[in-house]
Amino acid sequence: MKPLRLILATVASVLLAACQTGGGGSSAAGSAGRFIVSTERTAFYERGPAQDYGPDFNLTKGQEVEMVERNFGFSRVRTSLGKVGYVSTDDLQVAPPAPEPTPEPSISSSSSVSRSGSRSSSSSSSQTIDYSDVVTDLPVPEEEPKPVTSFRY
């Protein structure tokens, strides 16, 4: 029985590799890029869908993957954690474009803060920063705590 499984697994692997196409009626158009899982959950196989012990884990709806290689039936993908394996091509769809990052505001004028809390700036506008609520008098321990050298049980 075990040699038959090995033969079937080998044949399935060869067929899977030989059937690489760009079509197939799947919603996962294209051959590489960002995709998301479109079903509630889909099985993830590290060695391929014909492995003897079933899926390694499941991916959930909305989880993003990177398509490494598109195949008919099952495509090779990389998860956000770096795991590479196979999922059903029909369970994937093209991910929406990532939102563009908003640029951080930059301060073009040079400024400095004095000890009194007032800010002097090279621009024509001046601002005052109130530091009255900042705690500066923190308690200082009189001596360092002594380490425990013996334990009683």
Side-chain angles (χ1 to χ4, degrees):
M1 188 68 172
K2 205 159 195 147
L4 180 61
R5 283 186 182 175
L6 181 61
I7 291 170
L8 287 174
T10 304
V11 169
S13 297
V14 170
L15 288 175
L16 185 63
C19 292
Q20 183 175 359
T21 65
S26 170
S27 60
S31 61
R34 293 180 26 220
F35 289 79
I36 59 171
V37 176
S38 61
T39 58
E40 287 304 313
R41 66 181 202 172
T42 187
F44 182 91
Y45 302 92
E46 285 187 9
R47 293 184 177 18
Q51 65 190 28
D52 287 341
Y53 46 87
D56 294 292
F57 54 90
N58 289 310
L59 300 177
T60 57
K61 185 173 187 168
Q63 191 166 352
E64 190 172 311
V65 295
E66 175 189 352
M67 187 170 295
V68 176
E69 181 180 349
R70 180 172 167 52
N71 291 313
F72 180 76
F74 283 83
S75 292
R76 192 166 181 221
V77 299
R78 178 178 294 114
T79 68
S80 59
L81 298 175
K83 291 275 193 183
V84 177
Y86 296 85
V87 298
S88 172
T89 305
D90 290 336
D91 292 348
L92 299 175
Q93 69 182 30
V94 177
E100 302 238 352
T102 56
E104 292 290 324
S106 61
I107 300 173
S108 60
S109 64
S110 62
S111 61
S112 62
V113 178
S114 68
R115 291 189 120 228
S116 66
S118 64
R119 174 182 282 198
S120 63
S121 176
S122 62
S123 64
S124 61
S125 66
S126 65
Q127 297 177 345
T128 304
I129 301 174
D130 181 19
Y131 288 101
S132 62
D133 60 341
V134 176
V135 176
T136 57
D137 298 327
L138 297 175
V140 178
E142 293 180 20
E143 62 181 59
E144 291 187 29
K146 296 178 182 171
V148 177
T149 55
S150 63
F151 296 99
R152 289 188 139 178
Y153 293 102

